[in-house]
Amino acid sequence: MRALIAYATEHGSTREIAERIGKVSSLRGVQVDVRPTDQVDAIEGYDLFVIGSAVHDQQWLPRARFLVRRCAAEAPGRPVWLFSVGMPGALRWPLKRWAYAEEPKLLAQFDGVLEPVAHRLFSGVIAPEHLSLTGRLVFRAIGGRYGDYRDWPEIEAWAATVAQASSTAV
Ligand SMILES: Cc1cc2nc3c(=O)[nH]c(=O)nc-3n(C[C@H](O)[C@H](O)[C@H](O)COP(=O)(O)O)c2cc1C
């Protein structure tokens, strides 16, 4: 089983999540390549795809959306798992609920393109220098808290699920 784990990041947190998913998967016997979505050459040699993107304005970064379309066109029918990295963790209730509510919108980006095996929205990292002045004002107004909200046990458990499903699919 050969898996491509591809990520699109602006500030690095999605890359580190992809690398952790790769590490967990390879420890479970999956042969893994971890690459930025815009540095993927041939995809026909992979049995499985895990594609993740930072979320900006409730959408994936365009280069990650493009790779999903490539998978659908060039490797139709092969399993594709998706993860998004956003900021639910940085918000308090009830706004946290609003942040998780973006999940259907994220998935809707792939309507008619492909049906992923599963999608998970993880919390990432948000720092003042990532945002414009307007962005910082809005973030403050909605009570956002800067920080690293990645839940590594949650990420590793999801990666283990992907690896487990992959090995039973062989
Ligand atoms: C300009 C900008 C817009 C963002 N918009 C959203 C958003 O709409 N929804 C969300 O959940 N997170 C949003 N975020 C939070 C990021 O997706 C989150 O911080 C993530 O960890 C960034 O990943 P990266 O470090 O791989 O770039 C935004 C961050 C920035 C900088």
Side-chain angles (χ1 to χ4, degrees):
M1 168 66 59
R2 195 163 165 233
L4 173 67
I5 301 178
Y7 60 88
T9 181
E10 280 300 309
H11 298 103
S13 64
T14 307
R15 184 190 69 243
E16 290 170 352
I17 290 172
E19 287 168 352
R20 187 68 63 93
I21 293 169
K23 195 169 169 192
V24 170
S25 304
S26 60
L27 284 173
R28 282 168 170 72
V30 181
Q31 194 187 329
V32 163
D33 287 333
V34 181
R35 299 218 194 297
T37 49
D38 53 0
Q39 289 175 32
V40 175
D41 300 325
I43 64 171
E44 61 272 12
Y46 296 104
D47 307 299
L48 165 89
F49 301 91
V50 180
I51 306 174
S53 177
V55 180
H56 278 199
D57 303 323
Q58 301 205 308
Q59 287 208 320
W60 272 27
L61 300 178
R63 53 192 184 272
R65 293 205 302 267
F66 178 72
L67 182 63
V68 173
R69 283 195 197 91
R70 263 190 79 193
C71 286
E74 296 174 32
R78 279 185 228 170
V80 180
W81 297 67
L82 304 178
F83 68 93
S84 302
V85 185
M87 60 178 182
L91 301 176
R92 296 185 174 89
W93 298 104
L95 276 170
K96 198 187 285 282
R97 187 177 301 127
W98 166 80
Y100 280 113
E102 76 184 353
E103 209 168 351
K105 197 169 171 186
L106 292 167
L107 269 172
Q109 298 172 111
F110 305 112
D111 282 353
V113 177
L114 61 70
E115 180 95 24
V117 181
H119 169 262
R120 178 66 70 87
L121 171 60
F122 295 121
S123 290
V125 177
I126 187 92
E129 60 271 23
H130 297 171
L131 299 172
S132 64
L133 177 60
T134 311
R136 289 200 293 273
L137 289 171
V138 171
F139 191 71
R140 190 193 296 169
I142 62 176
R145 294 164 294 169
Y146 296 110
D148 182 347
Y149 295 99
R150 289 172 294 180
D151 181 337
W152 293 112
E154 180 198 9
I155 292 162
E156 289 180 0
W158 191 76
T161 303
V162 176
Q164 174 72 30
S166 316
S167 51
T168 52
V170 174

